[in-house]
Amino acid sequence: MDLSTRGKQALSQAAEHLEKQKARRSLLQSAGLIGFFTLMSRVLGLARDIVSARVFGTSGAWDAFLYAFTIPNFLRRLVGEGALSSAFIPVYTEVLREKGREEADKVANIVSSLLSVFLAALILAVLAAIQVLLQFAPLPDKIVLTLKLLRILFPYVFFLAHVALSMGILNCHKHFFTPSLSPVILNIVWLAAVVFLCPWSGTLEGKAHLLSVAILLTGIVQLGLQFFPLHNFGYRMRWSFEFFHPSIKKIRVLIMPAIMGFAVTQISILIDMSLAFFCGDGANASLWYGNRLMQFPLGLFGIAMGTALLPEFSGHAAEKNLDKLRETLSFSLRQTFLIVIPAACGLIFLKTPIVRVLFERGNFDAVSTFRTANTVMFYSLGLFAYSGQQTMTSAFYAIQDTKTPFKLSAISIAVDAVLGIILMLPMKEAGLALSTAVGGILNFALQLVLLNKKIQGIDLKNIIFSFLKITGVSVAMGISAMLLYRHIQFTCFSPLFNAIAGLSCAVTLGIGIYAAFLFIFRVHEIHELIGVFKHSPVKTAE
């Protein structure tokens, strides 16, 4: 081999390495942007939950509101952000690449038109059914309040689903900024409603009604916000009902099993909250607060990574480049573990002080803290799996396979429901959280195995080794943080500020310990992450 050939090979390898680093950097930057606004949303959401806990505690009225809010939020995942986006984005990306922007926008208009008609009919049917139940069925007061609140909140699903469709279009064009603002708006309005609007009512039931009206109006604002970037991209909404368009047929085939596949966690949570009605007042509220704390790291990186990955995976699949898809999948899962697993361990080992500092005031008492801390612990056991599901499901849908996630989700949901019924008897709402975690872990493990059979060559050994090593380091960090918290005592402030100072020190030192352990035990993923951002394109080229 002469020097010229070697030089060409070296340049080719350098170019390939540069391209890989650029792709990884772009992926992490997209996930980081989504994660940043998700962090803003989670911080605001945490503030709203703190204020809501003080006002409503774990009362029966709050149980009723949360269940009424969960149903449209659940349908958003099914017909909007989850299933529809997962079926729509790969097809839209394929049409955009092969036939151009005009045809892709035509597909988007058909989907939007069909979605509007379907949701309008669904909302009218549900509202009519609620009215019949309220007029003719003898129901307990708590169920009556739930139905009245649902009557206000259910139309919210119309706006949420169209927001999700708009987000899908924008994400396909690598625009993540505006879509990420949508949940921020919800949290701002919710927080403002609890602080300024709810005091106008003297009862918890009245406060719940006022909050429901505010949330419904928020949907209009969230949808309106998406129109500006869509208009800038040249997209124009037009009514179109070409039911038999080839791309619509593809989406229709993909979306039916996707309804189960992508929303498995949400379905499990809805099962939990439905069963929780049989656990007495406060069970739904405890599950809600526990789930909200678990969702903080999940939304910050797990869902953010999954959102950024679907267009990325769809592009690799459209190019028939399975090598890049497998490589991106492995990298994404391992980076997700690097962030999510220590977060889960932190929640597990510091569950009680976290809940006490955040929520224990007003109508939220020590018993509420104990019940919520237990749900936090059990939900967090499955946090890595919930995050991994976002990545795995995106990979399945990118190769336009929704049947496999559908079947696995059906198994997972059945396991969750059966375990929930068994465990709720001795453990109440904590048993329901544990059943959700077990179902999520089972679903993720089966997804990983079956996707490997489908595309073959996934680096399972490296993924599993990474998971075990990061878990070991994270458990050591969690134990250290817990011991530090028990031995750190502040007495110079008020009891609340002393608790905040002690918890802050434990968390900060825990993060430092985790970072040190990553380097001491040579966890490859931290070096991989640093390497992505350390080398500039110029250096790599050289």
Side-chain angles (χ1 to χ4, degrees), residues 460-533:
L460 286 178
K461 183 179 178 181
N462 203 15
I463 291 171
I464 294 171
F465 181 73
S466 170
F467 170 78
L468 294 174
K469 201 165 187 178
I470 291 171
T471 299
V473 169
S474 298
V475 169
M477 176 272 295
I479 294 172
S480 301
M482 179 181 67
L483 294 174
L484 284 167
Y485 177 79
R486 289 179 178 177
H487 289 87
I488 295 174
Q489 299 293 332
F490 288 89
T491 57
C492 49
F493 306 110
S494 69
L496 176 60
F497 279 98
N498 288 334
I500 292 173
L503 183 60
S504 299
C505 287
V507 170
T508 303
L509 291 172
I511 292 171
I513 290 168
Y514 177 65
F517 282 171
L518 289 176
F519 288 101
I520 291 170
F521 293 102
R522 299 181 181 179
V523 177
H524 173 67
E525 283 65 34
I526 187 62
H527 298 286
E528 194 174 38
L529 178 63
I530 293 171
V532 168
F533 291 100

Side-chain angles (χ1 to χ4, degrees), residues 265 269 272 286-287 289-291 293-295 344-345 347-349 351-352 355 370-386 416 423-424 426-441:
T265 302
I269 290 169
D272 289 351
S286 299
L287 286 170
Y289 293 122
N291 182 257
L293 286 176
M294 180 272 293
Q295 288 282 343
C345 287
L347 286 172
I348 290 169
F349 286 100
K351 59 186 184 300
T352 301
V355 174
F370 175 76
R371 295 175 70 179
T372 301
N374 284 333
T375 64
V376 169
M377 177 176 66
F378 289 119
Y379 271 138
S380 297
L381 290 174
L383 185 55
F384 78 92
Y386 311 141
D416 177 33
L423 295 175
M424 68 183 277
M427 300 173 64
K428 295 190 178 295
E429 65 273 0
L432 296 174
L434 178 57
S435 69
T436 298
V438 172
I441 293 169

Side-chain angles (χ1 to χ4, degrees), residues 312-355:
E312 189 82 15
F313 282 153
S314 298
H316 294 330
E319 295 168 356
K320 311 296 183 187
N321 194 336
L322 292 183
D323 286 338
K324 280 190 177 180
L325 194 153
R326 285 188 287 263
E327 188 177 290
T328 304
L329 177 71
S330 173
F331 173 76
S332 303
L333 282 177
R334 290 182 287 106
Q335 290 300 319
T336 298
F337 293 157
L338 186 70
I339 304 297
V340 168
I341 293 176
C345 287
L347 286 172
I348 290 169
F349 286 100
L350 294 173
K351 59 186 184 300
T352 301
I354 288 173
V355 174

Side-chain angles (χ1 to χ4, degrees), residues 88-309:
F88 171 77
I89 287 177
V91 175
Y92 183 87
T93 302
E94 185 178 61
V95 174
L96 187 64
R97 287 173 182 263
E98 295 179 1
K99 298 183 179 179
R101 178 64 185 273
E102 186 176 344
E103 187 66 19
D105 286 352
K106 181 181 179 181
V107 171
N109 280 325
I110 298 171
V111 173
S112 178
S113 301
L114 294 176
L115 185 64
S116 296
V117 173
F118 168 74
L119 289 175
L122 177 65
I123 289 168
L124 289 174
V126 169
L127 293 182
I130 291 173
Q131 190 62 33
V132 170
L133 286 171
L134 289 174
Q135 277 195 308
F136 301 107
L139 300 169
D141 291 343
K142 189 173 176 180
I143 302 297
V144 169
L145 177 59
T146 302
L147 289 174
K148 287 181 177 179
L149 296 175
L150 182 59
R151 186 169 56 188
I152 299 170
L153 286 166
F154 195 79
Y156 185 46
V157 72
F158 182 90
F159 303 106
L160 287 176
H162 279 87
V163 167
L165 179 63
S166 302
M167 290 167 64
I169 297 170
L170 292 171
N171 288 345
C172 285
H173 293 282
K174 307 293 184 182
H175 179 87
F176 299 100
F177 175 77
T178 309
S180 300
L181 287 177
S182 186
V184 175
I185 294 170
L186 171 63
N187 288 326
I188 290 173
V189 173
W190 185 321
L191 182 61
V194 173
V195 174
F196 300 110
L197 191 60
C198 287
W200 286 86
S201 175
T203 66
L204 292 180
E205 291 77 8
K207 295 178 192 296
H209 275 92
L210 291 173
L211 179 57
S212 298
V213 172
I215 289 173
L216 176 60
L217 295 176
T218 304
I220 301 172
V221 178
Q222 288 174 298
L223 182 57
L225 184 69
Q226 311 301 317
F227 287 154
F228 297 103
L230 285 173
H231 188 272
N232 290 337
F233 275 111
Y235 175 75
R236 301 292 182 271
M237 170 60 191
R238 295 180 177 87
W239 291 104
S240 181
F241 296 97
E242 293 187 34
F243 298 106
F244 302 106
H245 190 285
S247 296
I248 300 303
K249 184 179 179 182
K250 268 188 179 182
I251 293 172
R252 190 166 60 245
V253 170
L254 291 170
I255 197 173
M256 291 308 295
I259 286 175
M260 291 285 284
F262 202 89
V264 58
T265 302
Q266 298 299 317
I267 293 171
S268 296
I269 290 169
L270 186 63
I271 290 171
D272 289 351
M273 296 192 76
S274 299
L275 292 174
F277 267 101
F278 300 98
C279 296
D281 286 351
N284 265 329
S286 299
L287 286 170
W288 167 265
Y289 293 122
N291 182 257
R292 291 290 300 166
L293 286 176
M294 180 272 293
Q295 288 282 343
F296 196 96
L298 176 62
L300 184 59
F301 198 78
I303 293 175
M305 181 67 87
T307 304
L309 276 173

